[in-house]
Amino acid sequence: MNNSNKKQLFIFNTLSGKKEAFVPINNDMVGMYVCGPTLYSEPHMGNMRTFINFDLIYRYLLHSGYEVKYVRNITDAGHITNSAGEQEDSIGKAARMEQVQPLEIVYRYNLKFQELNRTYNLLPPSIEPTATGHIQEQIEIIEKIIENGFAYVKNGSVYFDVKSYMQSYDYGELSGRKVDELENETRALNAQEEKRFFADFALWKKAQDNDMQIWRSPWGEGNPGWHIECTAMSTKYLGKTFDIHGGGLDLKFPHHEDEIAQSCGATGQSPANFWMHANMLNVNGKKMSKSLGNFFLPKEIVEGTSKLFSKAYSPQVIRFFMMQSHYRSTLDLTEEALNAAEKGFERLTDSISLLENVPVSDDSSFSIPLCIQGFYDAMNDDFNAPILIANLFDAVKKINLIKDNKEAINAGDKDFLLSEMKCFVHDVLGLKHNSDSNDDRLSPVMDLVLELRQKARFNKDWDTSDLIRDGLKNAGIEVKDGKESTGWK
RNA sequence: GGUCUCGUGGCCGAGUGGCUUAGGCACCGGUCUGCAAAACCGGUUACAGCGGUUCGAAUCCGCUCGAGACCUCCA
């Protein structure tokens, strides 16, 4: 990495509602925890947007020279779903429906999730811990919270005592919610007589007859509440307080609010200095969700099997499309917008290839360092990938003008620009090069075919040259006649 | 109902007080070309409405209209 370009990184902190200078607790080490998926079904494109956005953040932190411990959990227990008034574990429910073991469900969808991570070019986190692998840690944290007077046991379940907590801490500081407002709004939803206070939430649930996953605890057999797993795992792997906690915006309340309460209640320390929330992916103006039916699977779009789109799009194009909006904005997915991204992405990657072969001059006609600084400035401003891309396209325009001898670049600047552009496109944005897709065996054949066509063109045998061109088009190969040579793709 | 966010040109999408023509795509014009496509260059179109603050607002404040999110299932 290039330290001369390393300026102060600013991150929008949900906790303060402001952009703050990012200073890690431990010099150049960064601890980051991101709430991962609940694997009771295949993750949809909206789920993936969050993970892609945090992949960008992870990548830029690495690029900035930080040593990052990136923890992204897998929820395989304790995630309660609420259907028809019945509360039950979502994994257990899926297992019962499909008549398999709960862990078989998790294993099945985790395989798919991992495959998606590779397809969309996400870097693997440092560790992906599971809730079921940390039952003991969860129990220990719950015991601490009880010990500190912020939780109580009732009929084999344990609840967090929000009223007691509020005497020492500010419940609602992350989401900006006031408990007295909540009370009027949500009382009807809670038929939980066991709770002392409507806002109390479960840390441990007593086992019910239809539970498929049950563990022993000091309070009897049962299973953990949803929020406690993240507190247990983040504390175990990153410490009582770490640098960044991320997740989807829809987790802000109650999940993240309750995580803060649990950590403070157990350790007396707030878990994270920076809270980051990625915004939702919309389809037709509405949040993508299963209940609305406006979701599609990440593999459907790359295979072209989604009914919502007329053709397939490469994962790189989808990733590029997502990078063109800021992670804190909602993003509207439409076919027209995807087509625009496809063309733009091609132009960007083409220009990198072009830069490799562009002629050099004695002097550069524009400031390359200034150009590159623009890349860094964009990302240092709360990971503003859309501005980064706009700045990259400024470079694209310059590169094209160099080709036409309207701008010039010297050898040193060329190498500098090329390596930085590759770095930002490939390593930071996580976009693979598009040209790798051509088959090695096809290449010599195409050279031959195009040579025959050139011969025909030289002889003004337009019928033959057009026959070749149209035939290739039908085979999905596009001929691109240039001034000196003919390309294809 | 409560809390909060947002409304930018044909589409997606940055930008928070005074030139950013943001950017991409589309469209129009041009260069190149046997023709076409591709590629490249150039250009047009905007800040939901009304009122206010200000020398000056897309950017701050108020109201109206519209959209969305959360309110213990959500990435």
Side-chain angles (χ1 to χ4, degrees):
Chain A
M1 69 153 270
N2 194 318
N3 275 303
S4 63
N5 286 304
K6 187 173 165 186
K7 288 194 179 172
Q8 180 61 55
L9 169 65
F10 282 82
I11 297 181
F12 184 88
N13 190 351
T14 311
L15 205 51
S16 64
K18 286 188 278 225
K19 282 180 195 169
E20 297 174 14
F22 178 65
V23 180
I25 296 165
N26 220 334
N27 298 318
D28 282 344
M29 314 262 279
V30 174
M32 177 163 83
Y33 186 93
V34 172
C35 292
T38 302
L39 291 172
Y40 65 94
S41 65
E42 197 166 343
H44 61 59
M45 204 65 232
N47 301 120
M48 288 309 288
R49 185 189 177 202
T50 296
F51 303 130
I52 289 172
N53 273 137
F54 280 103
D55 183 59
L56 169 77
I57 288 160
Y58 179 42
R59 284 167 176 274
Y60 188 66
L61 289 171
L62 291 175
H63 180 71
S64 301
Y66 291 115
E67 192 178 314
V68 186
K69 187 158 184 179
Y70 175 21
V71 181
R72 187 182 65 198
N73 72 299
I74 286 166
T75 297
D76 58 354
H79 201 160
I80 301 302
T81 186
N82 210 337
S83 59
E86 290 287 309
Q87 294 199 327
E88 64 178 318
D89 173 63
S90 51
I91 305 279
K93 186 182 176 186
R96 191 163 41 254
M97 305 262 285
E98 302 190 34
Q99 298 195 314
V100 295
Q101 291 295 317
L103 282 187
E104 189 174 338
I105 291 288
V106 173
Y107 182 69
R108 177 188 303 169
Y109 293 119
N110 194 21
L111 282 178
K112 297 203 176 193
F113 180 57
Q114 297 303 330
E115 191 185 326
L116 286 173
N117 279 285
R118 286 188 294 276
T119 302
Y120 285 92
N121 203 25
L122 277 78
L123 293 176
S126 314
I127 182 169
E128 291 184 271
T130 61
T132 54
H134 298 78
I135 299 296
Q136 189 56 37
E137 286 85 348
Q138 297 182 62
I139 289 171
E140 284 166 15
I141 293 230
I142 294 170
E143 286 180 314
K144 275 243 174 61
I145 298 173
I146 296 172
E147 215 176 284
N148 293 339
F150 298 119
Y152 55 91
V153 184
K154 185 86 189 244
N155 299 333
S157 292
V158 185
Y159 294 96
F160 192 90
D161 190 340
V162 171
K163 266 194 172 161
S164 161
Y165 178 78
M166 282 166 63
Q167 289 174 2
S168 313
Y169 299 95
D170 176 16
Y171 184 80
E173 61 171 334
L174 180 70
S175 59
R177 291 183 179 277
K178 303 274 177 286
V179 170
D180 48 347
E181 284 168 359
L182 281 170
E183 182 158 24
N184 299 322
E185 298 147 21
T186 55
R187 184 179 299 181
L189 291 170
N190 281 289
Q192 298 285 330
E193 292 81 13
E194 287 180 352
K195 293 181 187 176
R196 287 183 190 164
F197 186 52
F198 79 98
D200 294 352
F201 53 93
L203 298 173
W204 185 266
K205 297 276 289 178
K206 183 186 179 175
Q208 299 181 359
D209 293 341
N210 61 354
D211 277 343
M212 292 189 74
Q213 301 195 97
I214 294 171
W215 290 269
R216 279 192 199 139
S217 80
W219 317 286
E221 293 193 328
N223 41 58
W226 172 36
H227 315 304
I228 197 70
E229 62 170 277
C230 288
T231 301
M233 291 186 275
S234 65
T235 306
K236 173 166 181 175
Y237 295 107
L238 298 171
K240 291 176 183 171
T241 300
F242 48 95
D243 297 298
I244 298 171
H245 192 309
L249 189 60
D250 49 359
L251 295 183
K252 190 159 80 168
F253 187 88
H255 184 58
H256 291 159
E257 195 69 64
D258 290 349
E259 271 190 61
I260 292 176
Q262 288 168 162
S263 282
C264 291
T267 71
Q269 293 184 25
S270 196
N273 287 339
F274 284 81
W275 284 84
M276 297 182 71
H277 290 97
N279 217 321
M280 303 290 103
L281 181 67
N282 287 355
V283 174
N284 302 324
K286 290 207 168 125
K287 172 182 166 180
M288 179 178 281
S289 74
K290 294 196 173 167
S291 54
L292 285 172
N294 64 343
F295 73 97
F296 57 85
L297 299 179
K299 70 167 190 203
E300 288 176 336
I301 195 162
V302 298
E303 289 170 355
T305 50
S306 169
K307 288 191 182 91
L308 292 166
F309 303 104
S310 64
K311 60 176 236 190
Y313 295 89
S314 85
Q316 304 306 309
V317 165
I318 293 158
R319 202 175 154 117
F320 178 76
F321 167 73
M322 290 187 171
M323 297 288 110
Q324 279 187 298
S325 79
H326 192 254
Y327 77 89
R328 280 191 288 117
S329 301
T330 54
L331 172 61
D332 223 54
L333 184 63
T334 62
E335 175 131 50
E336 199 176 355
L338 273 184
N339 284 329
E342 189 169 49
K343 292 249 169 84
F345 178 53
E346 200 170 309
R347 200 155 87 87
L348 177 62
T349 49
D350 283 355
S351 92
I352 292 178
S353 317
L354 182 61
L355 180 59
E356 286 176 338
N357 302 310
V358 99
V360 293
S361 310
D362 292 339
D363 296 301
S364 299
S365 59
F366 61 101
S367 168
I368 277 76
L370 204 65
C371 184
I372 290 164
Q373 189 58 50
F375 305 162
Y376 285 89
D377 290 345
M379 288 303 286
N380 282 336
D381 183 16
D382 194 29
F383 309 97
N384 200 324
I387 296 291
L388 166 62
I389 290 174
N391 291 341
L392 285 168
F393 273 108
D394 287 343
V396 168
K397 181 166 274 192
K398 294 285 189 193
I399 292 166
N400 287 325
L401 287 167
I402 292 168
K403 188 195 71 175
D404 289 352
N405 294 317
K406 289 173 183 159
E407 294 278 2
I409 193 164
N410 70 38
D413 278 347
K414 178 184 154 180
D415 290 344
F416 186 26
L417 182 60
L418 187 61
S419 78
E420 289 293 326
M421 280 188 78
K422 280 185 169 175
C423 210
F424 272 92
V425 173
H426 300 160
D427 300 340
V428 175
L429 293 174
L431 300 163
K432 287 185 207 154
H433 222 313
N434 230 5
S435 57
D436 307 338
S437 57
N438 291 336
D439 191 331
D440 288 345
R441 288 184 64 201
L442 185 60
S443 201
V445 177
M446 281 304 301
D447 289 346
L448 178 66
V449 172
L450 290 178
E451 195 183 324
L452 289 172
R453 178 162 172 271
Q454 277 310 103
K455 219 169 210 171
R457 291 179 73 200
F458 183 78
N459 294 329
K460 297 198 192 311
D461 180 3
W462 310 128
D463 286 347
T464 303
S465 76
D466 290 353
L467 182 73
I468 293 170
R469 184 214 287 161
D470 295 344
L472 287 173
K473 194 179 176 187
N474 286 336
I477 293 170
E478 190 175 30
V479 174
K480 299 202 272 193
D481 289 331
K483 197 160 192 173
E484 277 140 34
S485 64
T486 296
W488 60 278
K489 70 194 308 179

